[in-house]
Amino acid sequence: MSTLILLLITGVGLGALYFLVASGLSLIYGLMGVLNFAHGAFLTLGAFVSWEMSRRIGEGTWLTFIITLVIGAAVGGVFAALTEFALIRPLYNRHIEQVLVTVGLSLAAVAIFEGVWGTDSQYTKGPEWFTRTTDVLGAQVPNDRFVTIIVAALVLLGVVLFLKKTRYGMIIRAGVENRSMVTALGIDVRKAFTLVFTIGGAAAGIGGVLASHYFGYVSPALGGSLLIFAFIVTVIGGLGSLAGAAIASVVVGVLQQITNFYWGMGDFVVIVLLAVVLLTKPTGLMGKTA
Amino acid sequence: MSPEPTNTLPSEESTGERNNTSAVTAVDKVARRVRVQPARGAKNPRSKVEAWTLGLAGLLLMAALPLLNLSIPGILPTPTYQPGSLQLLAMCMLMAAAALSYHLLIGVAGLLSFGHALYFGAGSYGLAIILNNFGLPLLPAMGLTLVVALVLSTFTGMVALRVTGIPFAMVSLAFAQAGSVLVRRNPGGATGGEEGVSPDTAGIPDFLIGVANTRNLYWLSLLTLLIVIVVVTWVQSSRAGHVAAAVRENELRVRVLGLQPYWAKLLIFVVAGVLAAAVGMVFVLLQSGTVPRQVSADFTITLLVMVVLGGVGSKWGAVIGGVLYTLLDQRLSAFANSSAVESLPAILHVPLSEPLFILGALFVLVVLFMPGGLTGAVRRLRERLSANSVAKRN
């Protein structure tokens, strides 16, 4: 029983990381029809810059951790906004080329990370509390799992509030639903594009910092490995649906952890789940009906 | 060559703002971007003869290279009859063949797949595993590998093609990821994990083993490329190829005509997968081993970069892209380790010493500024020149 609880919480923690990547992917795809392969690079850059900063200002304190979260978000957001502005915008409405450009960017970015920080993993150190465990119904759960889950939940809450309560949030939601209508009403959707990229990049940057604590290291391949599961999550959840992404992240994370522990087949089960979802409901759990 | 489907290109601007959320429109988009060149030879019998003569001469030259002593400094590391150059050239041809199989997906059927490496890996790993575990001779082992690849690509294709456009890209990626994970896990010690696996030499004929026999492997690679070119040309000009190209243009219209897009796409998908597996089999013989990278998403992206560099939709573009990429990759690695780069300040030295950075950046530039890739640029240049000469004559 205690093992199951540990697996559940760890799975939700992993799901939280997936969600931080998938939320941006899903919003970007929903609004712009772009599959962003560079999303992993946003995450990795956020993780690396935060790691560098935490070494400069002193590892292992809560203050440093919070600062690195902010830095991760800022770095990811700025990188994403620049990407949208310089690479995506000139290819406006040409979806395949936009995908290709992000593929090229992710190749180049990972190569640069390897050049600057090396191909080896760099080990991270969080506040001392992270290394301890908390007793949950008899299960000893590492504390960093809770931090990951809480931060991801806060991000979800923040994004939902932004989408529901602000004018730009409304434009984004309307754009996901029917972009031509929004344009016809005389609203410049392109600002919303940059905004969506920035939000997605910031979420990915935060995800990078959290992932570096969750896994205990940063490496140039960190973003790419999370990105593939985030893709799967977005397809299962339904492209363009934030709620779908959140639910699918948790389902995928927990399923992966549990099957990995008992049968060592976590990644396959996720792919089988993907196949089953596609065969029964090609639009995903909460996707629009095509 | 029978005339390929020529599609007039509606101007991108006139489409203007429209709802692009549906996946079909995304496919539609790539379709519209891809200009399939009308076969020039079809109109003019003389140029057709010329093209055949040129092709035959090129083929003879390629076949004779291992017997000649040609040096191309800066491109080939050694004279052409030595194993170093033959190995590189053979690799170029195999990558060209792999890119060509990928061209069937993206160029003909308009399917943006991120999982093509799975089938290449099925060929390379499949052959190595069958040779190691079943004690079969080479030819039956190759046949069995192709059957495995056929079954694999049929099943994965049937699921993946339930969706189109970007979701298809993601699903194909997920399948390839499953293969990649499986290979790294090393089930039963068959795939060798991160180390990769080498085929047992017992089943392979002697003339395909060892550095001294690189020229035989070179000829085998040339033969593979030739076969892939023939099959791709044949499939492209077959009825199914036309239907798949039409689906790329407008799936709805094909449906209305009473044709079934799904089966045409599946056929193209399976042919591309089996061809990739065939190339993978020769690859494992040439490299005398294979590593997990050959099944990873990175490898598919490499194929994608080759095809886009050469020009999406152009058969010869894929071949040129494959050769060029392989040469560039090899040369850039040498360039990265050269003393000229070492002596640069860090801000230049770090990016320049990463071949993938240069290739990635080059790729982005081609996508942004050179739609149609190399073949597109050549065609535009040629059109401009002929327009100029016509203008002068008048």
Side-chain angles (χ1 to χ4, degrees), chain B residues 103 112-113 125 168 172 177 188 200 222 243:
Chain B
H103 154 81
L112 182 62
S113 163
Y125 271 99
F168 170 80
S172 57
Q177 189 58 21
D200 192 355
L222 183 61
V243 174

Side-chain angles (χ1 to χ4, degrees), chain A residues 163-198:
Chain A
L163 289 178
K164 293 256 149 109
K165 298 286 174 192
T166 64
R167 185 183 145 74
Y168 269 108
M170 200 155 70
I171 293 177
I172 291 173
R173 278 191 298 141
V176 170
E177 221 158 86
N178 189 342
R179 205 175 78 197
S180 38
M181 190 52 154
V182 176
T183 323
L185 291 171
I187 295 167
D188 186 5
V189 203
R190 277 179 298 180
K191 275 184 205 148
F193 289 175
T194 317
L195 200 62
V196 163
F197 252 84
T198 315

